[in-house]
Amino acid sequence: EAQLLESGGGLIQPGGSLRLSCAASGFVFSSRAMAWVRQAPGKGLKWIAGINGSGHSTYYAESVKGRFSISRDNSKNTVSLEINNLRAEDTALYYCAKVALAGVTDGAFDIWGQGTKVVVSS
Amino acid sequence: SYVLTQTPSVSVAPEETARITCEGNKIEDKMIHWYQQKPGQAPVLVVHDNNVRPSGIPERFSGVNSGNTATLIIKKVEAGDEADYYCQVWDFTVDSWFFGEGTTLTVL
């Protein structure tokens, strides 16, 4: 059974940095693009970053370009999201998600983790 | 930026059919995916590639995509279908995914 488990969230002061991780299991990790999606309290889903199976191609929402960095380690079946210069508006539940089809980047997200909570506050 | 517009809320009686719409410019040219999210839970994919149901999703869920509007159709609605529903597309012109703002389905 495919599973994703996020970690790394917490309470961070504005201006700080954070690295979120997502551990994958139950599928051939290197064949699947992965994505991060966040959800601010009481708000909708917002895609923020994606990475293809090899890790050579990355994609970002316009609103986070320059502050967010997605990467993956296929030897450890993990995908990470580094967030710099954290702002109050980055407060959200951050989900890791798996693209359904092998070898493509633009498919649906068929597996989601339970999310890791990030709170940015002084 | 590709904008997807969803009606904030839809209410239907049990056993009726719910139609949740997602509007976007020439959305019929894109593959649309739909997610269900219940309170306190992660989203679940209910329809992908316009009208394909993942394994385990009831046949009551289906989708259509035409013109500027995609629609998630839920037949014979049950109390357990109460949730937020989100549409999603990939825009190849900017290599980005976009979600709609979500629709809250209430079963009366």
Side-chain angles (χ1 to χ4, degrees), chain A residues 39 44 47 95 105-107 109 113, chain B residues 35 37 42-43 86 88 90 96-97:
Chain A
Q39 188 169 34
W47 169 76
Y95 291 105
T105 305
D106 60 342
F109 300 162
Chain B
Y35 300 87
Q37 187 180 33
Y86 296 90
Q88 179 203 30
W90 168 266
S96 296
W97 281 282

Side-chain angles (χ1 to χ4, degrees), chain A residues 20-43:
Chain A
L20 307 180
S21 292
C22 172
S25 60
F27 62 97
V28 180
F29 182 71
S30 60
S31 71
R32 297 299 201 273
M34 300 293 294
W36 286 93
V37 176
R38 71 181 180 185
Q39 188 169 34
K43 302 297 185 181

Side-chain angles (χ1 to χ4, degrees), chain B:
Chain B
S1 180
Y2 188 80
V3 177
L4 294 169
T5 301
Q6 295 184 241
T7 303
S9 62
V10 169
S11 299
V12 295
E15 296 294 311
E16 296 297 312
T17 297
R19 291 178 174 81
I20 297 170
T21 60
C22 178
E23 296 182 353
N25 184 40
K26 297 182 181 178
I27 199 171
E28 67 179 353
D29 292 340
K30 303 184 184 302
M31 285 293 189
I32 190 156
H33 317 301
W34 291 93
Y35 300 87
Q36 175 194 70
Q37 187 180 33
K38 296 181 179 179
Q41 297 184 19
V44 172
L45 180 67
V46 292
V47 168
H48 65 90
D49 296 306
N50 295 332
N51 59 5
V52 181
R53 279 179 295 104
S55 170
I57 300 301
E59 292 183 9
R60 301 184 295 105
F61 288 79
S62 63
V64 295
N65 188 6
S66 178
N68 293 321
T69 304
T71 305
L72 174 68
I73 301 167
I74 310 173
K75 295 182 178 178
K76 296 184 179 179
V77 165
E78 303 172 355
D81 297 331
E82 274 205 345
D84 293 329
Y85 291 84
Y86 296 90
C87 57
Q88 179 203 30
V89 298
W90 168 266
D91 185 352
F92 70 91
T93 64
V94 291
D95 282 343
S96 296
W97 281 282
F98 294 95
F99 284 98
E101 313 102 316
T103 296
T104 299
L105 175 65
T106 299
V107 181
L108 301 171

